[in-house]
Structure formats: structure tokens, C-alpha cells
Amino acid sequence: MKDNAATPAAGAAVSETLARYAAGFDGARIPERVRECARLLMLDSIGIALASHGYDFSRRALAAIAELDGGGDSVVIGSPLRLDPRNAALANGVLVHGLDYDDTHARGVIHATASVLPTVLALAARDNRSGADMVAAYVLGMEVATRLGAVAKGGFHQVGFHPTGLIGAFGCTLAAGWLLGLDAAQMVDAQGIALSVAAGSLEFLNDGAWNKRMHPGWAANAGITSATFGKHGYTGTRLAYEGRFGLYASHLGATGYDLELATADLGELWEVERVSVKPLPACHFTHASVDAAVRLHAQGVRAEQVRRVTVLVPAEVVKTVCEPEAAKRKPANSYEAQFSIPYLVGTALCKGRLTLDDLEEAALRDPAVLALAAVTDYRHDPASGFPRHYSGEVIVELKDGRTLREREAVNRGAEDRPLTAGDIRAKFRDNALRQVAEARAESIERCVLGLEQGWARDLADQLGQA
């Protein structure tokens, strides 16, 4: 039985070390606790994908993808639509990520499942692979993507790149390569090709545009493309990561990243176990502050009592959830609201909650919430544990002169404050039942959690229904 651990050879490029790891990856050596975690992460994302069908962005995305499609039998989660594998992966990535409710790897600052799951679902179902193979490919893609994201140490967001799309393409490339049977040399080529097709800009933050929703699906599409080119002997660059114009130098410049993190503890420590499931439907950077605001509401704080609100956030997240200030205080649409500290904290203070319903267009015009958002400022959190934790603190100055504060040093759902399996299953049901009957939700849950006793195509058949 092969050992999944990978030690970099002297003088080896990062792509070569990752290629050897991927080509020799043995799913049977993944610990059961890791495989269970993987199945739960898949279940969480499938529930979100089902819920996404209730929103306009999904209808428009599926209409566009269907128009571009050349025909195929790969499934779209929660839909009778059948597409070719790359377009199905694109569609499913949009559905998983579109509500910004999907999981996050904190150190990598990446939503890796949103790209890796669509990749392995499309290929494993097409080629009638076992459910165990699908889980193994998923774990492989996650282990690669999360480490490559961690290399940047949060730097991609600071210069306007979205690692979910940019880095996701490389994890998808190796997951797809493993399912397609690529050898190590072909895996190196495939990663080099991915360097030219990986993308993801954060410009959407300035106007609430929908670009980000398609990033993980595009990464899945790019990964399948790159792996298939590699399979057929198309030569890709060897220094995809550390080259003069490689991934990190071209996107981050000369310093500020640690390439050793790309291959650290491969096969020994499992990053899948460090992935955080979101308890709230908003950017993960906001969760601690929202939960702190919910606790203040529970203590009796009401909107009409508040004179000013100050939120302490990690300095590294300011560009994402606090700026530009005018737009954050009055978001133009639900997607912009999901990245707005003033709106989300105002909602939590007003209502004592944050749900998908609080992101509907009508909710965005709630005068009490907007009044709170208008008096909400931010400061850098001097005690931040970013990127291990996405901390937050809410300080409320009341009109009667009192000051109340609540701090969330470790955000709920973080790797050392994880949601339970029961929490994740309950979240799945809450999301799935927005679109499907209870009996069907239960059937999907059984199929996903029992995936390794079945076949990927059986899961696809379960998911590919309206």
C-alpha cells in the first residue's frame, strides 16, 4: 500500500513534489476521521447548491451556461439540466458558492470545496468511479488547494486577487489529474498549464457585482481542462509556483509568502480537518463581529438606544468588508451586503440574528438597520489572530452614556471551535428544504454520508433532479 506522505526531493520544483504526491495518492490510506470530515463538507455544499436555485443569479447563470453548452450528461445539482463535464462543473461551482455560505480554510483564505467538489463530481460520475475514489480525489484537491492558499499568508486579498478562483484551479487540476490517471510528469505539465488559466479578481467588492460567484466553477473548469491537456502530453511550464513569472511572483511580488507551506506535512497533517463550515450566510471575515452583535442584542440592546457602533476587525480584512465605507453602510444589493460589516452588524443588533432571509432585497431597506449602519465605524483589532482566526469585537455607545462591548476572539466554526456533525447536518436540511421535499433531502443526505459504499454516478443521479 502506498504512503501518502511526500518529502520534497533536493532541487525539486514545487510542482514536481505536488505531482509525485498526487500521482502516488492512495485513498485507502486517508484516515476515517478525515474521510468523514470530507463527506460532511460535501453535504454542506450540496445543501447550499440546492438553496441557490431560489435566487436570480442561479437562473441567469444556468441560462448562460446552457446556451454555451455543446451537450453532455453531467448533472447540475438540483436541476434536470444535463451538460458536458466542464460546464456542469462551472454551474455547480456557481451554485455552491453563490450564497457565500460555503466552507472556508482560514489559513488559505479559500473556499476550496466550491471548486473541488464540482470537479470530482463531474469526472467521477462521468467515468463511473466508485464513491471512495470520488472522496479520495476530493481530499487530494483540498489538501493541495488549501496549502497553496496558505503560502500567500493572506496576501492575495491585499492586492485584489481572490484565491478561491486563482488557487482553486491548481487543486482542481491535481484532483482531476488523479481521476484521469495522470502520471507525475503529466501532473507537472498540468499545473504549468493551470498557471495560464487560473484567475479571480476582487473588483466585485466595489459594486456588489456577481463575478465572484463564478470563480470556483471557473477554477473547476480550468482544472479539468489543464489535467486533460496534461494527459495528452501538452507541455506546461515546470516552475508554475516559484518561477520568475510564476504564480506568487506575478501576483504578490518578490516577498511576503512562504513556498515551504505548499508541501509542508503532506500526507501527515490533513488540512481538510481545518476547514471551517460557515454558521452564517456572509463573508467569513464578518462572522465574529455578527455573533458579538447577536449577544449584545440578547443583553437588551435595541437600535433606538444606540448612538455609535465601533467594530474591531483584523487589519487584513478591511479592504474586503469595511471599504469603500459609503457603499458598505448602504449596500446596493444582497451580495454587497454579505461583505458589509456595517450592514451585517446592524442587522444582528436589530434582529438578534443573521439568516438568508435577512439578505433579501426588502431587508436591505430596513430603516432601523440602515440607521445603525450609518453610525458604524471600524478599527483594526490589535489582538487579532488572523489568519488562524477571524476575530471581531463590537463596541456600542448608548445614548444614556453607557458603553457595552462583546468580543469573539475565535470565530464560531473555526478549526479549534468547529461545528459538530449534527450542526452541519441541520444546516444542510435547512438549506435543502428551501427547494426540495423532506423525503428527498433525507435521501440525498444518506447518499452523501454513505458515498464510499456506493458509486459516484448514484450520487449524481440523486442530485440531478429538480
Side-chain angles (χ1 to χ4, degrees):
M1 187 176 290
K2 297 177 181 177
D3 189 343
N4 280 333
T7 302
V14 172
S15 65
E16 291 171 333
T17 301
L18 292 176
R20 287 192 297 107
Y21 172 70
F25 193 74
D26 184 356
R29 295 188 67 88
I30 303 171
E32 168 53 29
R33 70 178 193 280
V34 176
R35 298 201 307 272
E36 179 185 13
C37 182
R39 296 190 299 268
L40 286 166
L41 292 174
M42 290 180 176
L43 182 71
D44 176 52
S45 288
I46 288 167
I48 298 163
L50 291 169
S52 288
H53 283 283
Y55 295 81
D56 190 43
F57 75 84
S58 66
R59 291 186 284 271
R60 293 180 183 273
L62 294 183
I65 295 168
E67 181 174 324
L68 291 167
D69 189 66
D73 59 4
S74 293
V75 302
V76 174
I77 298 170
S79 168
L81 191 62
R82 295 294 182 269
L83 304 169
D84 73 69
R86 289 188 298 174
N87 278 322
L90 172 58
N92 286 325
V94 171
L95 293 172
V96 171
H97 191 55
L99 297 178
D100 223 273
Y101 206 0
D102 50 315
D103 62 47
T104 308
H105 181 268
R107 289 185 176 94
V109 200
I110 183 172
H111 303 280
T113 295
S115 60
V116 177
L117 174 58
T119 299
V120 301
L121 175 63
L123 293 183
R126 182 195 68 179
D127 297 339
N128 201 26
R129 299 292 290 266
S130 69
D133 280 351
M134 180 175 162
V135 171
Y138 168 81
V139 171
L140 169 60
M142 295 289 286
E143 293 301 309
V144 171
T146 53
R147 283 176 168 81
L148 291 174
V151 167
K153 298 192 288 189
F156 286 123
H157 281 79
Q158 302 311 306
V159 290
F161 294 108
H162 185 215
T164 294
L166 181 65
I167 299 299
F170 295 92
C172 292
T173 294
L174 291 179
W178 188 83
L179 286 170
L180 294 174
L182 273 61
D183 62 26
Q186 292 168 325
M187 295 272 198
V188 171
D189 283 334
Q191 291 170 86
I193 294 161
L195 177 63
S196 289
V197 293
S201 165
L202 291 176
E203 181 60 24
F204 75 92
L205 288 169
N206 287 323
D207 55 14
W210 293 358
N211 299 51
K212 179 175 180 283
R213 287 175 160 136
M214 69 179 290
H215 288 175
W218 194 257
N221 189 310
I224 293 171
T225 301
S226 300
T228 304
F229 268 66
K231 176 183 177 181
H232 287 272
Y234 196 91
T235 301
T237 185
R238 173 175 170 267
L239 299 179
Y241 305 108
E242 66 270 50
R244 181 165 63 107
F245 301 121
L247 175 67
Y248 298 100
S250 63
H251 288 74
L252 297 175
T255 60
Y257 52 89
D258 183 357
L259 276 168
E260 291 187 3
L261 296 177
T263 56
D265 302 314
L266 272 171
E268 297 172 4
L269 294 178
W270 298 90
E271 295 297 326
V272 166
E273 295 185 285
R274 294 175 167 175
V275 173
S276 303
V277 173
K278 280 188 177 183
L280 300 170
C283 175
H284 227 137
F285 294 162
T286 69
H287 286 203
S289 300
V290 171
D291 276 347
V294 168
R295 289 202 301 275
L296 286 166
H297 177 90
Q299 293 169 25
V301 173
R302 296 298 179 263
E304 61 273 14
Q305 300 174 298
V306 175
R307 186 174 71 85
R308 181 166 297 281
V309 180
T310 304
V311 184
L312 305 187
V313 298
E316 297 85 349
V317 312
V318 165
K319 292 180 181 179
T320 305
V321 296
C322 299
E323 297 176 348
E325 291 184 44
K328 296 301 184 186
R329 288 193 174 112
K330 192 174 182 181
N333 53 54
S334 61
Y335 209 52
E336 196 167 26
Q338 289 176 295
F339 294 83
S340 165
I341 279 285
Y343 176 81
L344 297 171
V345 167
T347 297
L349 282 172
C350 265
K351 303 177 181 178
R353 66 168 197 249
L354 179 67
T355 69
L356 285 171
D357 296 332
D358 298 311
L359 297 166
E360 296 288 349
E361 292 300 321
L364 300 184
R365 306 293 168 253
D366 186 320
V369 172
L370 293 178
L372 282 176
V375 297
T376 298
D377 294 311
Y378 71 88
R379 295 206 309 264
H380 295 170
D381 180 4
S384 166
F386 187 91
R388 181 182 176 91
H389 304 126
Y390 302 154
S391 58
E393 184 170 340
V394 178
I395 305 166
V396 177
E397 300 173 36
L398 300 179
K399 293 174 181 177
D400 64 8
R402 290 182 296 152
T403 298
L404 303 177
R405 63 199 304 157
E406 280 288 338
R407 179 172 182 79
E408 188 96 343
V410 179
N411 54 292
R412 188 161 51 104
E415 65 177 271
D416 40 6
R417 193 187 168 194
L419 300 189
T420 67
D423 292 334
I424 296 170
R425 293 171 72 171
K427 179 186 169 185
F428 163 77
R429 287 190 291 272
D430 180 66
N431 283 322
L433 291 176
R434 289 173 175 266
Q435 290 297 312
V436 303
E438 186 171 358
R440 177 141 180 262
E442 291 174 355
S443 180
I444 291 172
E445 183 176 342
R446 286 194 301 272
C447 192
V448 174
L449 297 181
L451 178 58
E452 290 177 284
Q453 284 68 57
W455 295 87
R457 193 168 289 173
D458 294 335
L459 174 61
D461 289 342
Q462 280 277 351
L463 299 178
Q465 302 174 35

